[in-house]
Amino acid sequence: MKSTLSHSALVNREQSRPAPRNAGAIACYVALLAILLPGGLVAVDASGAKLTVGRIAVLILLMPALVRLTKADRHFIASDYLAAITGIWMVGAAAYVGGDGSLSSAVAVCLEYVGGYFVARGLFFGYAVSTFIRVLKKFLIIVVFLALADSITGRLMVHTTLAGIFHSAPLLQPDFRADLLRTSSTFDHPILFGTFCTLSGALLMTYEQTLAKRTWWVGLCLLGCILSMSSAPLLSFIIAIVAFAYECLMKNYSWRWSVFWLAVAGVILAIFFIANHPIGWIISHLTLDPVSGYFRLMIWDLALVKIGQEPWTGFAFNPLNNEILDYTIDCVWLQLAIRFGIPMIVLVALTNIAAILPARRSASKVTSDPLHWGFTTALVLTMLTGLTVHYWHFLWIFWGLCLGIRASLREASMTEYQMLADERMPLMTADISLVHARP
């Protein structure tokens, strides 16, 4: 059985190669290039649409990815249809509510997330997933060392340098916490940089198979997360480490994750039953700056009122006539609901769940295979961290890329199981024939 499965996996990888290896590496570099430039740098074309480096990269790769995805050896899965519906709803709701004034912004946001998803689905399949991670590691080294430069100099090096080159005001003002600079490296905000390091750490936690390499890469990601001085990414990183340690210790027990999630649910219920103000307790005990936490709590209260006024379609990109909500909404789920309605939250959540689910109920590959575990954990942490973080520019694209790669891994597993079933069928037929042939 084991040798047959390995042969099937090898055949599947050979059949699913999307392009020559050098072409796959080039696609990875193009898709991740936006890591090196803040999304605030935009180029305005003749029609007034804002094209960031990330959006240009997605536009370049999208058509080749769609062509590759429609080849005979590839298969559409549930998350593909849900992602397409998500994009349609996003653009349709914004056009219905905001008209032409919101349409270009909705298309841009849709291009980043849904476009990023289909770029990954078409191009990052088979061996290209490992290529993606190897390229990601190169960019990771650059951004973490630039963050160190921020910390050593006490100023945002990349943003200050770019402001001097373009003779403009800095794209981001320095932010201090406990008298320490919150580094942002090449990202638009420290919390985005911290989140990127957390997600990269989750991907590399199981990808690296030796202790020395794992310690180096996870340590590098943790350093970047610490330099950002952001509570939510740090908490998510701790969760990833605990989950990984638990997996290593309990990998021989099939029931391990059922017990894990029951324990998590028990802790959450205990907080809500014991604490007088559960949300306040979480904010005061699990954030680096309780003042920032209570500000987010106020955002939730204000946003829920607004969502209740337009639950189906949201407000698109129109002003909300609230000085706080028009300034920031530090929750990706609230932001989606306010812009595109509650159905948008449901569609995004279902798309992620459909990509994460194992190929079959009895499959344990989602927890045993390094790539499956890494991308599943990254998506779970993205959704969790999004409770106190709003993603924009490259982080929004990165979510789509990770989601598309996880869906491609699921497609590969489904194909592998089907090939295994096809190989076993003649043997089963022969056994049945022998039974019927007995006197």
Side-chain angles (χ1 to χ4, degrees), residues 239-355:
I239 292 174
I241 293 174
V242 171
F244 176 72
Y246 179 82
E247 168 65 16
C248 292
L249 292 173
M250 306 292 289
K251 61 183 178 182
N252 294 325
Y253 301 95
S254 59
W255 43 261
R256 60 193 181 278
W257 288 106
S258 298
V259 173
F260 179 85
W261 290 115
L262 283 174
V264 171
V267 171
I268 294 174
L269 288 175
I271 293 174
F272 274 81
F273 277 112
I274 296 174
N276 293 327
H277 196 304
I279 302 298
W281 187 93
I282 293 173
I283 291 172
S284 61
H285 288 79
L286 299 180
T287 57
L288 297 175
D289 184 3
V291 174
S292 175
Y294 280 108
F295 179 73
R296 283 179 167 83
L297 184 60
M298 181 172 60
I299 290 175
W300 272 78
D301 292 337
L302 295 172
L304 289 176
V305 173
K306 282 292 183 181
I307 293 170
Q309 296 173 0
E310 293 289 346
W312 290 105
T313 59
F315 296 87
F317 293 85
N318 295 326
L320 300 173
N321 299 319
N322 183 286
E323 60 181 5
I324 294 177
L325 297 181
D326 284 329
Y327 172 70
T328 182
I329 300 177
D330 293 329
C331 173
V332 69
W333 303 105
L334 293 178
Q335 184 74 276
L336 291 174
I338 285 180
R339 285 180 175 176
F340 311 109
I342 294 176
M344 186 65 186
I345 296 179
V346 177
L347 287 170
V348 170
L350 288 177
T351 305
N352 281 263
I353 293 171

